[in-house]
Amino acid sequence: MSTASTQLPEGRYGRSADERADRKLKIIGVVLGAGLLVLMGWFAYHYVVGNKISAELIAFKTSADEVQVHLEVRKDAGASGYCTVRSQAEDGAEVGRADFRFDGDATRIDKVVTLRTTTRGTTAELLGCHAD
């Protein structure tokens, strides 16, 4: 005795609706993934190329009403901009914030700046640098 098959014969009726939907979803996924990759590359390129001034906080020294901050700034020749530095107290409250300008033709500037604080600051944080 043989059993009857419940599946349709292969290739007789074309693709099922599920196979067509799967193919469309795969194509849409590939297109959206490629678009996202291109968008991320574009943002990364403009972040690296467009950022004309950057800095690194090397060290800091606190006292009762100021924080001495040692910054190393790298910038394009002739570019000008500023870097924002802040200090916080032990409880996390911000006790000082200031912008320090960097102009001139030098591409690397190593400078100690003084940030005035309202009370004793326990930290120094470089928030970022921006070109004009």
Side-chain angles (χ1 to χ4, degrees), residues 19-54:
E19 289 174 340
R20 280 189 292 256
D22 287 346
R23 181 169 168 79
K24 287 180 185 177
L25 286 175
K26 286 179 186 176
I27 291 171
I28 290 171
V30 167
V31 168
L32 289 176
L36 181 64
L37 211 58
V38 167
L39 187 66
M40 285 176 34
W42 185 77
F43 279 123
Y45 173 77
H46 284 285
Y47 177 76
V48 171
V49 172
N51 199 3
K52 297 180 181 179
I53 183 169
S54 64

Side-chain angles (χ1 to χ4, degrees), residues 75-104:
K75 63 182 192 67
D76 292 344
S80 63
Y82 62 94
C83 293
T84 304
V85 179
R86 81 170 176 175
S87 180
Q88 293 177 308
E90 192 170 334
D91 63 357
E94 186 175 284
V95 295
R97 178 186 292 239
D99 293 332
F100 297 100
R101 290 206 56 79
F102 297 96
D103 300 327

